[in-house]
Amino acid sequence: CFNCGGDHLARECPDGPRKGGGKGGSKGGSKGDNGSGGGGGGGSAQPRPSTTGTTLQKTLEQMEGRGYPSYKDLMGGAWDMEDCGGCQVFFDRVQGDPYAPPSWVRVRLPASTAGFPTEYVSESRTRNVALCDFVTRVLADMLRGGTGTDWTQTVSGEGWGGSKGGDINVDAPGQYVIPRTSIVITPEFAEARLTLSLPARGRSVEGYRAAQIIGGLMDVVKKSMHFSALKKDALRSHILSVEDQEAARAQLAELGLVAFVADGSILPRKSGVDERPMTTKDDPNLVTFESPESLRAELEVPNRGTISGMGIRKGITMIVGGGFHGKSTILQALQVGIYNKVDGDGREFVVCDPSAVKIRSEDGRWVACADISPFINNLPFSRDTTAFSTKDASGSTSQAANIIEALELGAKALFIDEDTCATNFMIRDAPMVELVAPEKEPITPFIKRVKPLFEDLGVSTIMVIGGSGDFFPVADTVVCMERYRATDVTERAHAIARQHGRVVPEPVPFAALTPRRVLLKDGLAADYKVSAKSLRCISYGNTEIELTYVEQLVEIGQAKAIMDALQHLATSPKYVDGSRTLRDVVDALEATLLGTDRPVGVQGLDSISRDCPCPFHAMPRRFELAAAINRLRTAKFTLSKVARSAV
């Protein structure tokens, strides 16, 4: 940390963020400046970049005062940065206007200069991803002030004719360690992908200031992308922690578990908009997790050794307890157990089946050609539920569609919180059955399907239930959260169920699901511009893909990758051919994104970039990719020939 010198990153400093120098000099960019305005941050006392006089910088200085489109001349090839260890700079996209989205820039170092050990670069994909994640975090810190200048700050507020732009940004990670395109490290090179708002005065090039920014960028690269400049112990700890998390998750199935929560885990977060772990400064009553003895399990990981905690067995698990006692908190931690976390997050060893999907109701969502008949039948006017479509799904039909779509893609675990469910989809009590006869009710409630889901399809369910004991008889395990402490109350819950005459409802068998929806190319292409300015919504031409309730997306880079993946599907002949099911299409797309047929270090996400590597993609799962397709209102499906003949 450049704030206090600690081993944590600056963004995690308990002293708060570094105090910048305003907006970076009121003028900037004039010949002979002593650094004022350099890159847009830090004020007049900032140090001058150490890298000067390169061919690129001289070229930028010669552009001073020209029309802004002159910056386009920077594209077309690599700029060799003299005396920088073979470093090269690429301008992949150059903005045509100072008010346009920023330019895309890559900085590449030969492997001999970067110096990263082979054991980190190419021994495994897990280690490579962790290495790239660590370097991205350090690079982001250096840009935010680690070299003495905050290069992420832009100049603005001086009117049309004043200085503007100049900020450099990288897709900085949050709490999760997932594959991203921001840093790519292969046995041949290390490369950073960034955005740069090329500086301007009015609509004229500020060449001297641009040259200074490039010099500052070189200083940042030297302190973040050279192995010799990094803290070796912190890097190794980060990589080994991620490796252990991956190993823990991989053990679950063979141990008969669907999830695991390590003793000592910190489950609460600082706030609803801050995913860092809660501390005793935030709340002196913070409770770390401890497993009930009856549910204790142990995992063996390669670096840390034995980890003890609560093992959630395959089957049906209920999490009960009073309000504000931690039920939803543990479920929220479990649902992101599909991801590895940064060391110190507190949830590093809260892991779950990688195919687990959070399920909820979603009033108003688009549903296309979904077979919701396992849950809903006999709709008024003989409406078909084996290929159900609607522009405005109800709570129950949307929840049924969400389950079926998850199963279609191979989900083996479902997370459900009753607070976000349709009540009539979950249960029907005896008085309601007496008033509304079963033959008049189209919905087969989830309570009748949850056990066959596991017994017939092997799909486990973890449910947070606080308002009904109807699920007690069907639950294999019942965990009670009281003051954030977990206890095993399975036997007592079963006894209470017997005492009140609650029995396992007559199960309705769950037939094996065969993927049968065929995705068509018509409607996949956007009819106008696309953008993903938030995690929860993609503007896709003249429609929007609403992802607010796709709760396991955690970074905006995932939404951007999904957006470009949809466009890739629309233009590539490789995936959608009018006969492949949605699952087949997603299988093929997932293999492309993961780069399974490429050497370790080669970024599969680059496959969906249209003309040059994108600097801000992050890896989505197959389930979130499919969720976006299923919510694209222009997407069209048909049934496979086998399914049509069956119907």
Side-chain angles (χ1 to χ4, degrees), residues 202-281:
R203 295 189 185 276
S204 299
V205 169
E206 276 198 300
Y208 284 101
R209 184 157 159 250
Q212 190 177 11
I213 292 169
I214 293 298
L217 177 57
M218 291 300 101
D219 288 351
V220 166
V221 166
K222 290 172 184 175
K223 292 190 175 184
S224 59
M225 295 184 65
H226 290 223
F227 179 66
S228 58
L230 301 177
K231 288 191 174 182
K232 313 298 186 299
D233 291 344
L235 172 58
R236 183 169 182 80
S237 175
H238 181 80
I239 291 174
L240 297 186
S241 174
V242 172
E243 188 173 59
D244 281 346
Q245 293 174 56
E246 198 71 27
R249 191 175 297 105
Q251 288 180 55
L252 295 177
E254 65 185 58
L255 295 175
L257 303 178
V258 71
F260 177 85
V261 185
D263 291 335
S265 294
I266 299 172
L267 305 184
R269 303 292 94 187
K270 281 186 176 294
S271 73
V273 295
D274 188 344
E275 286 219 71
R276 292 178 298 170
M278 181 182 286
T279 67
T280 52
K281 287 185 178 180

Side-chain angles (χ1 to χ4, degrees), residues 408-409 517 519 580-586 629-630 637:
E408 181 182 24
L409 269 291
R517 290 194 304 154
L519 179 64
R580 291 193 179 114
T581 64
L582 176 62
R583 178 163 181 165
D584 292 335
V585 170
V586 173
I629 297 172
N630 286 322
F637 295 86

Side-chain angles (χ1 to χ4, degrees), residues 350-621:
V350 180
V351 293
C352 69
D353 187 305
S355 70
V357 176
K358 175 70 188 313
I359 299 296
R360 59 170 296 153
S361 66
E362 198 173 339
D363 288 34
R365 70 152 284 197
W366 164 267
V367 176
C369 213
D371 182 4
I372 61 172
S373 60
F375 295 103
I376 299 176
N377 272 297
N378 304 320
L379 288 178
F381 312 111
S382 301
R383 191 171 180 183
D384 183 19
T385 60
T386 62
F388 181 78
S389 297
T390 180
K391 297 178 181 179
D392 186 15
S394 67
S396 57
T397 54
S398 63
Q399 190 165 347
N402 287 341
I403 292 175
I404 294 301
E405 290 165 357
L407 299 179
E408 181 182 24
L409 269 291
K412 285 299 180 183
L414 305 178
F415 294 131
I416 295 177
D417 189 333
E418 71 170 357
D419 284 351
T420 57
C421 291
T423 302
N424 64 334
F425 179 81
M426 297 296 289
I427 58 171
R428 291 188 78 222
D429 63 12
M432 185 60 70
V433 171
E434 185 174 342
L435 181 64
V436 180
E439 61 270 17
K440 296 180 181 179
E441 172 55 68
I443 301 172
T444 301
F446 187 70
I447 192 170
K448 290 189 175 183
R449 287 295 199 180
V450 65
K451 210 164 187 67
L453 258 177
F454 178 63
E455 294 175 346
D456 298 340
L457 302 185
V459 177
S460 298
T461 302
I462 299 176
M463 300 180 289
V464 165
I465 303 289
S468 172
D470 285 358
F471 282 92
F472 286 174
V474 300
D476 299 305
T477 305
V478 183
V479 176
C480 181
M481 298 297 295
E482 183 176 354
R483 298 170 66 90
Y484 287 86
R485 299 189 185 279
T487 54
D488 180 0
V489 295
T490 306
E491 292 185 4
R492 185 167 178 233
H494 287 168
I496 291 172
R498 290 191 297 271
Q499 178 184 340
H500 289 271
R502 304 293 174 87
V503 296
V504 177
E506 182 180 349
V508 180
F510 215 116
L513 294 176
T514 301
R516 60 186 209 142
R517 290 194 304 154
V518 174
L519 179 64
L520 303 179
K521 207 148 199 171
D522 185 26
L524 274 180
D527 53 4
Y528 193 57
K529 294 180 180 179
V530 299
S531 66
K533 295 182 179 179
S534 77
L535 178 61
R536 300 306 179 193
C537 184
I538 297 173
S539 295
Y540 200 74
N542 289 312
T543 189
E544 289 186 342
I545 303 173
E546 181 60 61
L547 300 175
T548 299
Y549 300 124
V550 183
E551 297 182 22
Q552 287 166 293
L553 286 173
V554 293
E555 292 191 3
I556 190 172
Q558 293 175 301
K560 292 177 185 292
I562 289 172
M563 174 188 74
D564 286 339
L566 291 181
Q567 295 181 91
H568 182 63
L569 287 179
T571 57
S572 172
K574 180 180 176 182
Y575 307 97
V576 182
D577 64 0
S579 64
R580 291 193 179 114
T581 64
L582 176 62
R583 178 163 181 165
D584 292 335
V585 170
V586 173
D587 284 346
L589 180 59
E590 181 185 47
T592 297
L593 297 183
L594 294 174
T596 52
D597 59 344
R598 300 184 178 196
V600 172
V602 177
Q603 182 52 265
L605 282 165
D606 287 345
S607 302
I608 58 174
S609 296
R610 282 170 288 179
D611 51 8
C612 58
C614 176
F616 38 67
H617 281 159
M619 185 69 71
R621 291 191 310 160

Side-chain angles (χ1 to χ4, degrees), residues 50-55 57 79-89 107-110 112-114 214-215 217-219 221-222 226:
S50 61
T51 302
T52 58
T54 64
T55 300
Q57 289 170 298
W79 291 89
D80 292 323
M81 303 300 290
E82 295 86 355
D83 300 320
C84 291
C87 178
Q88 294 178 311
V89 175
V107 181
R108 178 179 289 183
L109 294 174
S112 57
T113 300
I214 293 298
L217 177 57
M218 291 300 101
D219 288 351
V221 166
K222 290 172 184 175
H226 290 223

Side-chain angles (χ1 to χ4, degrees), residues 316-336:
I316 303 162
T317 298
M318 284 182 67
I319 301 174
V320 302
F324 305 99
H325 280 260
K327 303 187 305 296
S328 293
T329 298
I330 190 171
L331 190 72
Q332 288 163 3
L334 286 168
Q335 74 187 41
V336 292

